[in-house]
Amino acid sequence: MEQRLSLVTLGVGDLARARAFYEGLGWKTRAEPDDDVVFFQAGGMIVALWDRARLAEDSEVTDGGGWGGVTLAHNVRSPAEVDAAIEQARAAGGTIGREAGETFWGGYSGVFIDPDGHPWEVAHNPRWEIADDGSVRLPA
């Protein structure tokens, strides 16, 4: 198996609300208004929104409704971009879990939580390279 991630699917309680939130972040989709899955191209991978109960059934898991132990991340090129993304999430209706600020690991980050409880860290790591296409590279 190749060492890569292709798709992250977020289980959502209200697809229209979730779609509106991500579109409020400026994300673009070609999904039709009545599609039951909404796909967003996210750099070299895809983020999908799908009904939470259907996702659990398809994944053969029992959904206890709690946090699944996964946090998503969006890395940016500067602390100012972190601030801007956190404000954009706030304006789109997200909850700010942690305001942007300096981190213990020498970077700068904040956390927003989407309407279905998925936490996203927005981070600037001065040691990571972000290519023009948004892909992230660890230092050599």
Side-chain angles (χ1 to χ4, degrees), residues 74-136:
H74 177 74
N75 282 71
V76 296
R77 294 171 182 86
S78 71
E81 287 185 59
V82 173
D83 292 337
I86 292 295
E87 289 311 313
Q88 192 170 18
R90 188 187 323 270
T95 301
I96 306 307
R98 179 169 38 84
E99 295 290 345
E102 299 292 327
T103 66
F104 69 91
W105 45 266
Y108 188 86
S109 75
V111 173
F112 71 82
I113 303 164
D114 80 4
D116 288 280
H118 301 109
W120 283 80
E121 180 182 31
V122 180
H124 167 65
N125 185 330
R127 293 173 293 283
W128 289 7
E129 176 188 337
I130 300 178
D132 291 341
D133 68 357
S135 60
V136 179

Side-chain angles (χ1 to χ4, degrees), residues 9-15 36 49-59 61-68 114 116-118:
T9 302
L10 303 177
V12 300
D14 180 328
L15 186 60
D36 65 346
L49 306 176
W50 193 24
D51 178 79
R52 185 178 179 106
R54 291 180 68 191
L55 177 61
E57 179 183 348
D58 185 65
S59 301
V61 300
T62 301
D63 182 7
W67 176 56
D114 80 4
D116 288 280
H118 301 109

